[in-house]
């Protein structure tokens, strides 16, 4: 009995270690390794753009995606569409108002497994000080120390007060905007 009591703490610690679920790994978005883009329609013509500056941390374990979370921050003044007039207008008050709201934030509270490498990143998107719940469908692949996430969702820009004044309606610029994610993060 005495011998058993000596090993009880060791057995208890070993049991706790073996019974704990795997902990999520932290991944840091890699600058220049991917695209955080957007698409829309202006006067009947499609356009694409992207944000040149963004960063973030993703905490993710494919064995326990529900315990994961992420925080992605986007520099809204870094929007580029290869159209000088549009690019000049986007940081302004009617659109992103980057002087007042320089950053947008996507705070993921959980990842929901959908089968295979498909997940829903559920969280809150904040643009121009307005926060809304969103679900971003993603495919997530892990290879060595790299995590690659790719997905797409549609947003209604007016829900975030993007496109004020004469741009409030979809007459000149469609209200629906596509968000395209194709990013790589390092860590693990």
């Amino acid at each position: 009995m005495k011998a058993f009591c000596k090993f009880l703490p060791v057995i208890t610690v070993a049991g706790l270690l073996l019974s704990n679920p795997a902990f999520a790994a932290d991944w840091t978005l890699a600058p220049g390794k991917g695209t955080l883009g957007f698409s829309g329609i202006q006067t009947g013509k499609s356009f694409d753009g992207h944000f040149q500056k963004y960063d973030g941390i993703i905490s993710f374990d494919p064995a326990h995606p529900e315990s994961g979370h992420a925080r992605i921050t986007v520099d809204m003044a870094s929007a580029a569409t290869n159209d000088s007039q549009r690019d000049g207008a986007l940081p302004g008050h009617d659109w992103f108002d980057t002087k007042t709201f320089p950053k947008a934030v996507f705070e993921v509270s959980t990842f929901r497994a959908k089968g295979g490498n498909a997940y829903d990143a559920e969280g809150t998107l904040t643009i121009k000080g307005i926060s809304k719940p969103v679900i971003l469908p993603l495919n997530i692949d892990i290879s060595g120390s790299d995590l690659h996430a790719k997905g797409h969702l549609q947003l209604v820009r007016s829900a975030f007060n993007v496109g004020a004044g004469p741009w409030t309606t979809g007459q000149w610029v469609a209200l629906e905007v596509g968000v395209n994610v194709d990013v790589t993060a390092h860590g693990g």
Side-chain angles (χ1 to χ4, degrees), residues 19-162:
S19 68
N20 271 350
F23 291 98
D26 286 336
W27 310 83
T28 302
L29 287 181
K33 290 276 191 166
T35 304
L36 183 55
F38 55 93
S39 59
I41 299 174
Q42 181 177 1
T43 60
K45 295 181 184 155
S46 303
F47 70 89
D48 292 311
H50 66 279
F51 294 98
Q52 300 173 77
K53 296 178 183 175
Y54 56 88
D55 59 30
I57 299 288
I58 302 166
S59 184
F60 181 78
D61 176 0
H64 300 281
E66 69 285 350
S67 65
H69 59 275
R71 181 177 171 86
I72 312 303
T73 304
V74 180
D75 180 343
M76 298 303 281
S78 74
T81 65
N82 292 322
D83 178 291
S84 59
Q85 185 177 4
R86 186 183 305 117
D87 291 352
L90 284 175
H93 176 74
D94 287 347
W95 292 99
F96 294 144
D97 193 6
T98 60
K99 286 184 181 175
T100 307
F101 305 102
K103 308 283 185 195
V105 177
F106 182 37
E107 190 86 40
V108 178
S109 56
T110 190
F111 293 91
R112 300 272 181 227
K114 297 182 349 184
N117 69 340
Y119 301 89
D120 280 340
E122 299 179 7
T124 303
L125 178 62
T126 303
I127 302 174
K128 290 184 79 174
I130 299 171
S131 299
K132 300 280 183 185
V134 296
I135 297 173
L136 172 61
L138 291 171
N139 287 330
I140 299 176
D141 295 298
I142 297 173
S143 177
S145 63
D146 288 344
L147 177 147
H148 179 241
K150 186 173 184 176
H152 173 84
L153 89 122
Q154 291 291 118
L155 295 176
V156 177
R157 63 178 174 79
S158 57
F160 297 93
N161 200 26
V162 174

Side-chain angles (χ1 to χ4, degrees), residues 5-20:
C5 289
K6 277 181 160 179
F7 292 106
L8 187 58
V10 174
I11 293 169
T12 303
V13 170
L16 288 172
L17 289 174
L18 294 174
S19 68
N20 271 350

